[in-house]
DNA sequence: ACCCAGGGTCATA
DNA sequence: TATGACCATGGG
């Protein structure tokens, strides 16, 4: 379960060549990115897009109206995103914190480590959601780990299947230049690759990561697993 | 009918 | 520290 110093950079290069730039995050403003990061928790993006459109349609895509909105009404608005009661509460908790701190312009000048700690202290914001916000809304060089990233690393034999979030994050970042644009693209590419390949069950040698697999994909053990 | 989605909280051992 | 229940819609 170890990687040579350039494995994750090589994987990035091959994904980028194969799929091209993904242009993440889908969202017009930093605040919309933050809302999307919360709504997409364990949820398909298409459903999140519906929920965001509904918020937009009633002028509720901002901290103040979200806080002013009764829980029942907010839950109904974001219903397509699933877990609507849970997420309505999380959205309001986030907006309360966001507004208390003075909004984007005030938070923008916080050191990254301080900002991450503060985000994690908000109800409903865990490591992945915090890092989504840091990378895609605040443009900080923070690498986002998700279930796809863990599965990819584990199946390539680069990390343990149950590796801790911060452990894998540190291992990957150590192999990459500290570049916001690269981190942005890499996470999006991993999501794209995982969707494209996982259900298709291609032969291992059809996968664009074949040459990166330290096992060489000879045994069939990794058949269709990328 | 079943599985899974760009997770996190809370209670329990 | 580490499991497990729970949250809920929509697409394949």
């Amino acid at each position: 379960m170890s990687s040579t110093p350039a494995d994750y950079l090589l994987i990035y290069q091959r994904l980028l060549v194969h799929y091209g730039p993904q242009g993440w995050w889908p969202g017009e403003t930093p605040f919309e990115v933050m809302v999307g990061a919360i709504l997409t928790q364990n949820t398909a993006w298409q459903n999140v897009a519906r929920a965001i459109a509904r918020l937009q349609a009633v002028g509720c895509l901002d901290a103040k109206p979200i806080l002013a909105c009764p829980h029942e009404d907010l839950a109904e608005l974001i219903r397509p995103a699933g877990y609507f009661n849970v997420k309505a509460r999380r959205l309001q908790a986030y907006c309360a914190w966001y507004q208390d701190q003075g909004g984007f312009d005030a938070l923008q000048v916080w050191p990254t480590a301080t900002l991450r700690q503060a985000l994690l202290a908000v109800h409903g914001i865990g490591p992945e959601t915090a890092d989504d916000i840091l990378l895609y809304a605040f443009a900080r060089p923070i690498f986002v780990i998700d279930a796809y990233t863990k599965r990819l690393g584990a199946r390539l034999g680069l990390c343990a299947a149950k590796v801790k979030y911060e452990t894998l994050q540190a291992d990957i970042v150590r192999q990459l230049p500290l570049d916001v644009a690269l981190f942005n693209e890499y996470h999006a590419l991993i999501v794209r690759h995982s969707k494209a390949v996982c259900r298709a069950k291609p032969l291992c040698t059809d996968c664009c990561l074949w040459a990166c697999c330290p096992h060489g994909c000879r045994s069939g053990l990794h058949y269709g697993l990328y």
Side-chain angles (χ1 to χ4, degrees), chain A residues 10-215:
Chain A
L10 181 58
I11 291 167
Y12 168 71
Q13 289 163 345
R14 296 187 72 90
L15 289 174
L16 182 59
V17 166
H18 191 78
Y19 296 104
Q22 300 300 299
W24 273 28
W25 182 285
E28 301 300 318
T29 66
F31 185 79
E32 185 179 336
V33 172
M34 297 167 191
V35 170
I38 292 169
L39 292 182
T40 199
Q41 291 170 353
N42 203 36
T43 299
W45 179 257
Q46 187 175 344
N47 293 345
V48 177
R50 278 198 193 96
I52 290 177
R54 288 163 63 106
L55 289 171
Q56 179 83 268
V58 297
C60 217
L61 196 50
D62 206 347
K64 263 182 251 178
I66 285 176
L67 285 169
C69 191
H71 176 274
E72 313 291 334
D73 298 344
L74 184 58
E76 180 56 33
L77 280 171
I78 64 171
R79 182 187 180 98
Y83 304 122
F84 45 80
N85 284 312
V86 168
K87 287 174 178 173
R89 183 178 165 212
R90 289 179 184 178
L91 272 183
Q92 291 192 315
Y94 183 80
C95 289
W97 170 81
Y98 186 70
Q99 213 171 38
D100 282 349
Q101 305 309 325
F104 186 83
D105 292 338
L107 291 166
Q108 196 179 20
V109 303
W110 290 26
T112 299
T114 308
L115 189 51
R116 188 171 196 271
Q117 277 195 333
L119 284 167
L120 290 173
V122 177
H123 174 85
I125 307 295
E128 185 179 339
T129 307
D131 290 343
D132 277 337
I133 292 172
L134 286 166
L135 177 59
Y136 292 105
F138 288 103
R140 306 301 176 95
I142 292 289
F143 193 88
V144 177
I145 303 296
D146 64 353
Y148 292 144
T149 314
K150 285 186 187 176
R151 191 177 66 189
L152 181 66
R155 287 174 175 175
L156 286 170
L158 302 179
C159 70
K162 297 185 185 178
V163 64
K164 190 178 171 187
Y165 187 101
E166 280 80 6
T167 302
L168 181 56
Q169 186 177 47
D171 287 347
I172 293 179
V173 167
R174 200 175 301 127
Q175 301 186 9
L176 304 173
L178 207 65
D179 182 341
V180 172
L182 189 154
F183 286 12
N184 177 322
E185 202 55 61
Y186 201 165
H187 176 62
L189 283 165
I190 288 174
V191 173
R192 168 67 186 274
H193 178 71
S194 300
K195 288 181 183 174
V197 173
C198 195
R199 286 190 182 277
K201 290 195 175 182
L203 283 173
C204 208
T205 48
D206 290 341
C207 173
C208 68
L209 293 182
W210 169 70
C212 300
C213 180
H215 306 295

